[in-house]
Amino acid sequence: GGAAQEAGADDEAAADHEAAADEEEVMVIPGWQPTVSLEVKEVLETGEEDWDEIYSQRSKLFRFSDGEWKERGLGNSKLQQERETGKVRFILRQEKTGKIVANHFVVGMNPYCDLVPNAGSDKNWVWIAQDWADSEPKTEKFALRFKDAELAKKFKEAFDKAKEMNAAVPEFAAKIAETNGGAVPEVKPEAPVEKPPVEKVQAEAVANPFAGVSATPEISGSGAGAGASL
């Protein structure tokens, strides 16, 4: 009797082992294993890795659309210089989402990048730019609001300096001379400023601004200073 019970137990154990093996075979099917690691990368590429930050200040950006100013985003307005070419661009991301809401080169090509006060305010600057925030070139009228007049003044100084730096870049110098009909000032670009890496935020890679843009783009409407007040 004892031997029969023992044999029965062995048979049951063997059956359980076989069932477990069958279950494992079902769970691990050859060719079904994921080929892409699902590990989260510690460093996310933002498209800003090859640029040095030369200016940054929290501010609020507006865009003139349909006859009125509409808020575009709140975040750090930045001026960044590309290490390889020396080109300087203006870029602003929404601080909550990381979405790019402005991205253009700071080039003094009439009528672009000419800062003017908005409605007499000393905290706001208005300008027209060939913007690439949406990966396609679009002429935009922007307004940037700062906390106080001193911060606004510092932005203008940095923005105007960026125009001088870009005027020394051969690619831009020719366009500036052709568009403005005058000589290009001899401005030696400063060496890229060494800064800590730009904060890593999950956002779309930055498009290449100003690529393929006509040297004499046309815009509709009146000057940058026109329009309703903020």
Side-chain angles (χ1 to χ4, degrees), residues 132-193:
W132 286 78
D134 297 324
S135 301
E136 292 291 335
K138 184 179 180 182
T139 300
E140 298 280 16
K141 183 188 293 185
F142 288 128
L144 196 61
R145 174 184 292 169
F146 292 89
K147 182 179 179 181
D148 55 46
E150 184 62 27
L151 292 178
K153 179 182 177 182
K154 290 181 178 179
F155 171 74
K156 187 177 190 306
E157 292 173 354
F159 195 85
D160 289 345
K161 180 63 177 177
K163 287 197 290 185
E164 293 180 1
M165 295 167 72
N166 277 333
V169 176
E171 181 183 345
F172 291 146
K175 291 182 178 180
I176 293 171
E178 180 182 349
T179 305
N180 296 350
V184 181
E186 295 183 2
V187 180
K188 183 179 180 180
E190 296 179 353
V193 180

Side-chain angles (χ1 to χ4, degrees), residues 3-17:
Q5 289 180 354
E6 188 173 333
D10 290 341
D11 291 342
E12 185 175 346
D16 289 344
H17 178 75

Side-chain angles (χ1 to χ4, degrees), residues 47-185:
E48 300 180 29
E49 287 75 19
D50 298 328
W51 299 73
D52 290 311
E53 181 181 302
I54 58 178
Y55 170 88
S56 179
Q57 179 61 52
R58 193 165 186 261
S59 51
K60 182 177 291 187
L61 184 73
F62 297 83
R63 176 175 63 177
F64 196 72
S65 178
D66 299 325
E68 62 180 344
W69 289 107
K70 298 180 180 179
E71 185 175 334
R72 188 80 167 127
L74 174 67
N76 287 328
S77 53
K78 298 180 180 181
L79 294 173
Q80 298 177 335
Q81 185 177 40
E82 189 175 28
R83 297 188 191 105
E84 182 179 352
T85 65
K87 296 176 181 178
V88 182
R89 72 178 174 195
F90 172 85
I91 183 171
L92 192 148
R93 294 177 183 268
Q94 289 179 345
E95 62 181 14
K96 291 184 178 180
T97 65
K99 177 179 172 60
I100 298 168
V101 293
N103 177 35
H104 68 81
F105 281 129
V106 185
V107 181
M109 290 172 53
N110 186 38
Y112 298 116
C113 298
D114 181 22
L115 297 184
V116 296
N118 176 265
S121 172
D122 57 3
K123 297 189 296 183
N124 303 325
W125 292 111
V126 176
W127 73 97
I128 293 172
Q130 191 76 272
D131 189 60
W132 286 78
D134 297 324
S135 301
E136 292 291 335
K138 184 179 180 182
T139 300
E140 298 280 16
K141 183 188 293 185
F142 288 128
L144 196 61
R145 174 184 292 169
F146 292 89
K147 182 179 179 181
D148 55 46
E150 184 62 27
L151 292 178
K153 179 182 177 182
K154 290 181 178 179
F155 171 74
K156 187 177 190 306
E157 292 173 354
F159 195 85
D160 289 345
K161 180 63 177 177
K163 287 197 290 185
E164 293 180 1
M165 295 167 72
N166 277 333
V169 176
E171 181 183 345
F172 291 146
K175 291 182 178 180
I176 293 171
E178 180 182 349
T179 305
N180 296 350
V184 181

